[in-house]
Amino acid sequence: GSDTRHDTLAVMTRRVLLIAALTAACGGGTAGDAVQFCDSLAESLTLVRDPIITTEAEIDETLLTYRLLGELAPVEIAEDWQTLITNIETASTVVPNDRDSIQRAVQQAYASERSAVAVAAWVSTRCGYDMGPVTTIAPQATPNPAEPPGVSDS
């Protein structure tokens, strides 16, 4: 009921205030501070790693969290992080049993796989956090370069 909505609003308000305080403490909203991003991500790691998006309030909270983190994302991952936001925005528009809206979400999820892998790798390396398994439809491993014509190992 309204208590749940009030609690969710209170949690979101605390997150907004926390991130605003972190931004102010670090000298403004300049993108690219890895420490600030990692600290803010730590506060929301469970939500980011394993979002629960069964209600509109949960979708709103997840989007707000991703958008706030997006404002802090270092330049190395800012574009990839924006792709993840677009993925969640698209998923939030899915209408159950509507093939077109489901197909749009699947296409966006597929299009965002490379970004998800890149963000997870950056977060692991720079923040030391495991983003959990990144599920992909297509393999995202870096392929070995093709041999130029006429070159062989024999």
Side-chain angles (χ1 to χ4, degrees), residues 51-107:
I52 299 168
I53 49 175
T54 53
T55 67
E56 200 166 320
E58 290 165 341
I59 292 168
D60 290 345
E61 181 183 5
T62 300
L63 269 171
L64 176 66
T65 300
Y66 268 79
R67 287 175 179 145
L68 290 170
L69 286 165
E71 291 175 19
L72 303 173
V75 68
E76 300 98 328
I77 59 165
E79 196 173 310
D80 288 321
W81 194 269
Q82 184 55 51
T83 300
L84 299 183
I85 293 170
T86 301
N87 190 34
I88 296 167
E89 289 169 344
T90 304
S92 74
T93 66
V94 168
V95 176
N97 302 317
D98 176 10
R99 291 178 89 98
D100 290 342
S101 74
I102 293 168
Q103 186 60 32
R104 271 193 306 278
V106 168
Q107 287 173 331

Side-chain angles (χ1 to χ4, degrees), residues 2-18 57 61 64:
S2 69
D3 282 346
T4 303
R5 190 169 190 91
H6 179 265
D7 290 345
T8 302
L9 186 58
V11 168
M12 288 191 299
T13 302
R14 281 196 298 275
R15 284 210 175 114
V16 170
L17 293 174
L18 171 70
E61 181 183 5
L64 176 66

